Amino acid sequence: MLSAMPIHTRLTAFRGGETWVQITTPETPKPDVYPLFVLHGGPGMAHDYVRNIAELADETGRPVVHYDQIGCGRSTHFPDAPREFWEPGLFVDEFHTVREELGIERYHLLGQSWGGMLGAEIAVRRPEGLASLSICNSPASMELWMAAAALLRAELPEDTRLALDRHEAAGTVTDPEYLAATQEFYVRHVCRLVPTPQDFLDSEAQMEAEPTVYHTMNGPNEFHVLGTLKTWTIIDRLDRILAPTLVIAGEFDEAAPATWRPYVERIPAARSHVFDGASHCTHLEQPEEFRAVVAAFLAEHDHAPVRA
């Protein structure tokens, strides 16, 4: 169980603030396996909703590192930072700052949603020591993401669609009717569990309490993208990724196949796994199955030469 494993936290100085870091250590470490870094999504959703991935520590004998990206969760918040501050390069630098502070030279990287996009941004730079990359529930461009969201939105009940359209046109995206309509989309394509897991609610609550990062980079919700990531794409850079790559998605994922297919088609050493019956939070909906697939992939690449 996660609660039985040694868990340590620390703060790492970064850009005039501090990044909160958590290291979960297996009770019985295995020699010669690489640590796993877990990158959360949002942007700005903090690590709580992906904390169960730390179970991989005992299950695979490796340390698992989570951290709250700058601007959210337990890390320093910058609500007054200019819009241009919030760009992918900031988070690439933060990752390497955390990694270097921990003294980790060889490692696996797993990112969920925005975290997978960030993982790809890290991997295209070909860092030394990256043994493998797991991209979970992530689009390769926001144009593809928005197109997929529009198709899924068109499948919602008519009264739900009309409520979304009406409030977006009026700019009243905090109206209770609008929030209820977005929830209909979420229970279909973001997390299908009822009730919603507490870890997800915890990440959602901290984001809503201080939404600077999410609102600046994304927008008010998952399918109404207005932020700095609106034109983001990594498709034309994917062939630079040398690390073996696993692409994970759910059958009902808001990250529909068209959004993640470029990763599989353009990364030379990539393969995919789709979980039947799951949506965007596959790791919460099917946790044991999710971790088993990831664990097998990590084991394949613990002793393989790291390509830089």
Side-chain angles (χ1 to χ4, degrees):
M1 293 293 293
L2 184 59
S3 59
M5 289 183 283
I7 297 175
H8 306 284
T9 62
R10 60 187 294 171
L11 295 173
T12 297
F14 179 68
R15 298 281 184 99
E18 292 178 317
T19 300
W20 178 92
V21 183
Q22 174 182 283
I23 306 98
T24 304
T25 306
E27 292 192 276
T28 307
K30 291 184 178 179
D32 303 322
V33 297
Y34 303 145
L36 172 67
F37 283 90
V38 179
L39 306 176
H40 67 72
M45 281 286 285
H47 87 287
D48 302 73
Y49 82 101
V50 290
R51 68 187 296 271
N52 72 342
I53 297 175
E55 297 283 2
L56 283 168
D58 256 1
E59 292 170 359
T60 68
R62 73 185 74 247
V64 176
V65 181
H66 288 78
Y67 64 94
D68 285 346
Q69 294 160 24
I70 203 74
C72 73
R74 300 151 189 81
S75 296
T76 303
H77 293 212
F78 292 102
D80 299 320
R83 182 179 172 89
E84 59 270 19
F85 179 77
W86 303 110
E87 50 84 29
L90 169 74
F91 299 96
V92 174
D93 291 346
E94 181 185 32
F95 165 73
H96 286 297
T97 298
V98 170
R99 180 187 58 76
E100 291 169 4
E101 182 72 16
L102 296 178
I104 295 174
E105 296 182 356
R106 292 194 170 192
Y107 54 93
H108 300 285
L109 194 55
L110 181 152
Q112 198 278 333
S113 194
W114 148 251
M117 298 157 63
L118 174 57
E121 284 280 0
I122 293 167
V124 296
R125 292 160 168 82
R126 296 180 176 177
E128 293 186 10
L130 176 59
S132 78
L133 172 65
S134 297
I135 298 174
C136 306
N137 320 98
S138 308
S141 85
M142 292 307 287
E143 181 180 2
L144 292 175
W145 173 270
M146 289 186 287
L151 293 175
L152 294 175
R153 178 168 163 158
E155 297 174 357
L156 295 172
E158 183 179 12
D159 58 340
T160 303
R161 298 197 311 270
L162 291 175
L164 293 172
D165 294 341
R166 183 168 60 253
H167 288 289
E168 287 169 2
T172 52
V173 293
T174 59
D175 186 281
E177 183 185 36
Y178 183 78
L179 297 178
T182 62
Q183 190 62 27
E184 178 66 27
F185 181 92
Y186 281 29
V187 298
R188 291 178 179 221
H189 303 297
V190 178
C191 185
R192 296 169 68 86
L193 295 178
V194 179
T196 303
Q198 188 60 47
D199 285 347
F200 186 93
L201 294 175
D202 289 344
S203 284
E204 188 176 55
Q206 65 80 32
M207 184 274 290
E208 291 175 350
E210 209 285 80
T212 299
V213 180
Y214 186 75
H215 284 182
T216 303
M217 297 186 73
N218 186 81
N221 56 52
E222 295 293 279
F223 48 80
H224 193 41
V225 180
L226 306 172
T228 59
L229 287 178
K230 184 175 183 178
T231 60
W232 178 85
T233 182
I234 201 165
I235 294 174
D236 60 345
R237 294 176 283 153
L238 290 176
D239 58 357
R240 302 179 193 174
I241 296 179
L242 299 178
T245 301
L246 173 65
V247 180
I248 285 176
E251 178 185 4
F252 301 107
D253 205 326
E254 60 179 334
T259 72
W260 53 259
R261 192 171 293 119
Y263 289 122
V264 180
E265 294 175 344
R266 299 181 68 93
I267 297 175
R271 67 177 189 254
S272 62
H273 186 102
V274 177
F275 286 85
D276 294 340
S279 67
H280 195 56
C281 290
T282 310
H283 66 285
L284 291 174
E285 296 165 340
Q286 300 181 22
E288 291 82 10
E289 297 87 344
F290 175 90
R291 293 198 305 271
V293 169
V294 171
F297 177 70
L298 300 181
E300 286 182 46
H301 303 291
D302 273 320
H303 305 293
V306 174
R307 302 166 68 187

